[in-house]
């Protein structure tokens, strides 16, 4: 179906080129006209303004804190989308950037992950070079589509750290191509638009992330000058991300409100379509606590590579993990004698282990990730209980 869609799009482009030729114009003429007339910029600004309507969608919290965070969310998305699709958008000269990090957040971004993205194209072949260092997990993924397109992200190629062939000094090279090449190979296709690198830490305070760079194997040493086409299409994709991400994730958050203060499993098909890792089982939900309440989550982790639990605001941005403990992982949790754990979500510190700070929020979303279970189909059901805060001390 995906190949059929791209074939249809290519046919549409061909037919459009015929129509343009009949009027004595080329695609470049259209891009030039849109840039010179200001239409590209006007449409971008209008789309950014329209994105603000997501903050008033039915079910979204209307308190001042949530709305202020919502506006900040839009400014963050605008900042990172312009970097991704305008500043670093040339697939002939890609650069790895952290699209999601401490001050740009979306989709329940994982504080225990480093995410790197680069814009690429099936028109070229690439080489990733790097040094492994000590991050617990690293995985390389090519995606068909892009964050700024309507078709979503679909998996293409995968190369995980366990399969990565390293040199004696810990360095490595990966070839990105349509046909298998080199010691380490990552598949791309005609419609591939992005390469993503995920690094997961058991303890992000102690582990060192990998050093990575990417280069086009056509030998270019510097990027070409920008073109009207790059700017016009980049602004369109940037605006689409700013408008589209809040629509998607506020819809998710609204759905999570149907089962507050519980942790059911999230549909893998939905998470994978949004760019989630197919090796992760996600438990997404909603938390809502009064000033005098706390949420106790109890679970005995199954055998797995790693796990992580975190608190987010309504917009599915992780709370500020630079200054507060808002997440817990396999490597940072304190366990009970039987191997179980008890996580305490509360507005203030009860003096107990595994306390997560709500950072002055009364509600938000939450996510538990289970990475690479040793036994597929293992049932996991965390027990959640809302209690009075006074009962904790």
């Amino acid at each position: 179906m995906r190949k059929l869609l791209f074939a249809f799009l290519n046919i549409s482009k061909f037919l459009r080129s015929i129509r343009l030729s009949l009027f004595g114009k080329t695609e470049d003429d259209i891009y030039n006209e849109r840039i010179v007339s200001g239409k590209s910029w006007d449409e971008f600004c209008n789309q950014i303004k329209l994105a603000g309507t997501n903050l008033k969608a039915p079910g979204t919290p209307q308190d001042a804190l949530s709305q202020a965070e919502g506006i900040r969310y839009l400014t963050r998305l605008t900042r990172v989308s312009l970097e991704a699709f305008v500043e670093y958008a040339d697939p002939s000269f890609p650069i790895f950037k952290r699209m999601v990090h401490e001050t740009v957040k979306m989709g329940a971004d994982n504080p225990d992950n480093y995410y790197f993205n680069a814009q690429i194209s099936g028109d070229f072949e690439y080489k990733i070079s790097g040094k492994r260092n000590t991050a617990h997990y690293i995985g390389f993924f090519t995606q068909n589509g892009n964050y700024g397109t309507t078709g979503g992200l679909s998996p293409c190629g995968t190369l995980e750290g366990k399969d990565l062939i390293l040199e004696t000094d810990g360095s490595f090279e990966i070839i990105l191509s349509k046909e298998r090449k080199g010691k380490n190979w990552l598949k791309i296709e005609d419609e591939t638009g992005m390469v993503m690198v995920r690094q997961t830490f058991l303890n992000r305070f102690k582990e060192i992330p990998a050093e990575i760079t990417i280069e086009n194997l056509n030998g270019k040493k510097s990027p070409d000058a920008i073109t009207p086409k790059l700017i016009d299409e980049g602004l369109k994709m940037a605006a689409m991300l700013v408008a589209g991400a809040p629509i998607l994730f506020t819809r998710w958050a609204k759905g999570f409100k149907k089962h507050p203060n519980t942790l059911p499993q999230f549909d893998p098909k939905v998470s994978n379509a949004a760019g989630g890792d197919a090796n992760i089982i996600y438990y997404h939900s909603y938390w809502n606590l009064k000033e005098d309440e706390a949420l106790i989550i109890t679970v005995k982790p199954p055998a797995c590579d790693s796990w992580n639990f975190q608190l987010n605001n309504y917009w599915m941005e992780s709370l500020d993990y630079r200054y507060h403990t808002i997440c817990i992982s396999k490597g940072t949790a304190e366990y009970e004698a039987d191997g179980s754990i008890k996580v305490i979500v509360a507005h203030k510190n009860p003096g107990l282990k595994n306390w997560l700070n709500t950072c002055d929020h009364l509600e938000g979303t939450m996510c538990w990730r289970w990475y690479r279970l040793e036994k597929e189909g293992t049932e996991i059901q965390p027990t959640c209980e809302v209690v009075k805060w006074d009962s904790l001390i």
Side-chain angles (χ1 to χ4, degrees):
M1 178 60 72
R2 190 172 70 246
K3 292 185 182 296
L4 182 63
L5 174 61
F6 276 92
F8 174 76
L9 291 175
N10 288 332
I11 293 172
S12 298
K13 289 179 181 179
F14 175 71
L15 294 175
R16 184 184 178 200
S17 67
I18 292 178
R19 289 196 300 270
L20 290 172
S21 64
L22 292 175
F23 291 97
K25 292 186 177 182
T26 66
E27 290 279 357
D28 286 340
D29 291 331
I30 300 300
Y31 289 120
N32 293 345
E33 290 174 5
R34 286 177 55 80
I35 290 294
V36 172
S37 69
K39 190 173 183 180
S40 295
W41 181 251
D42 288 344
E43 289 181 359
F44 171 75
C45 292
N46 290 337
Q47 191 72 15
I48 295 300
K49 182 177 181 180
L50 184 63
T53 61
N54 289 303
L55 306 186
K56 301 299 181 183
T60 56
Q62 296 302 303
D63 61 280
L65 172 61
S66 295
Q67 286 295 302
E69 286 186 326
I71 293 173
R72 183 184 62 182
Y73 178 41
L74 296 180
T75 68
R76 288 171 164 178
L77 291 176
T78 302
R79 169 160 49 99
V80 75
S81 66
L82 289 173
E83 282 196 345
F85 302 122
V86 177
E87 192 66 39
Y88 303 104
D90 185 358
S92 71
F93 201 83
I95 296 175
F96 274 122
K97 299 292 291 183
R98 290 183 67 197
M99 193 169 180
V100 175
H101 48 75
E102 291 82 358
T103 61
V104 177
K105 302 156 179 270
M106 70 179 90
D109 55 289
N110 186 350
D112 292 317
N113 267 11
Y114 255 48
Y115 306 87
F116 282 106
N117 300 331
Q119 309 299 315
I120 61 174
S121 167
D123 295 335
F124 305 103
E125 293 185 351
Y126 303 89
K127 179 174 71 174
I128 295 175
S129 304
K131 193 167 185 180
R132 177 68 176 82
N133 292 333
T134 62
H136 172 72
Y137 168 85
I138 189 169
F140 301 83
F141 308 86
T142 48
Q143 306 281 158
N144 292 341
N146 221 309
Y147 280 124
T149 60
T150 57
L153 292 167
S154 58
C156 178
T158 299
L159 177 62
E160 296 189 283
K162 62 182 176 60
D163 301 316
L164 189 64
I165 299 174
L166 303 175
E167 303 301 323
T168 55
D169 63 353
S171 64
F172 61 86
E173 291 184 351
I174 303 170
I175 301 299
L176 285 67
S177 60
K178 295 175 184 175
E179 304 295 332
R180 182 177 292 275
K181 293 183 180 181
K183 292 182 180 180
N184 299 301
W185 175 64
L186 190 57
K187 180 183 178 182
I188 60 175
E189 298 177 343
D190 288 339
E191 57 265 35
T192 301
M194 179 186 295
V195 57
M196 306 169 65
V197 184
R198 290 190 184 96
Q199 300 181 68
T200 302
F201 307 106
L202 290 182
N203 190 325
R204 70 179 186 276
F205 303 106
K206 297 181 179 180
E207 297 167 35
I208 301 172
E211 305 163 36
I212 55 172
T213 59
I214 184 170
E215 62 179 299
N216 189 334
L217 290 178
N218 68 358
K220 294 183 66 170
K221 300 301 180 183
S222 62
D224 294 331
I226 64 170
T227 64
K229 177 180 179 180
L230 186 148
I231 298 301
D232 184 74
E233 292 189 342
L235 288 176
K236 288 178 182 177
M237 294 178 71
M240 196 173 295
L241 175 62
V242 178
I247 291 175
L248 173 63
F249 296 123
T250 54
R251 184 169 69 241
W252 284 14
K254 184 178 180 180
F256 301 158
K257 294 179 78 171
K258 297 176 182 177
H259 41 76
N261 300 323
T262 62
L263 276 167
Q265 184 177 343
F266 192 56
D267 186 348
K269 294 180 181 178
V270 177
S271 59
N272 291 344
D277 188 339
N279 293 311
I280 301 175
I281 298 175
Y282 296 87
Y283 283 60
H284 281 291
S285 196
Y286 203 81
W287 62 272
N288 190 338
L289 299 172
K290 298 176 182 177
E291 291 281 4
D292 63 344
E293 291 180 334
L295 175 63
I296 302 176
I297 305 171
T298 305
V299 66
K300 188 170 184 179
C304 61
D305 183 65
S306 60
W307 58 262
N308 157 279
F309 174 71
Q310 68 185 72
L311 300 179
N312 316 302
N313 63 15
Y314 180 86
W315 315 108
M316 294 189 68
E317 297 181 294
S318 63
L319 299 184
D320 197 341
Y321 54 85
R322 295 173 299 173
Y323 307 110
H324 306 286
T325 303
I326 62 90
C327 62
I328 191 170
S329 70
K330 181 179 179 179
T332 60
E334 295 186 56
Y335 295 80
E336 303 297 324
D338 64 353
S340 66
I341 59 168
K342 185 178 292 185
V343 177
I344 310 295
V345 178
H347 303 302
K348 50 188 178 180
N349 191 350
L352 301 174
K353 58 188 178 184
N354 302 329
W355 168 60
L356 300 186
N357 193 341
T358 60
C359 303
D360 298 321
H361 293 68
L362 295 177
E363 61 183 324
T365 61
M366 55 184 172
C367 175
W368 202 308
R369 298 172 178 86
W370 304 97
Y371 291 80
R372 292 168 288 281
L373 296 175
E374 290 188 9
K375 293 183 179 180
E376 290 188 15
T378 300
E379 292 190 9
I380 312 163
Q381 189 51 65
T383 299
C384 301
E385 181 185 9
V386 176
V387 302
K388 293 297 183 182
W389 188 86
D390 288 345
S391 68
L392 298 175
I393 57 175

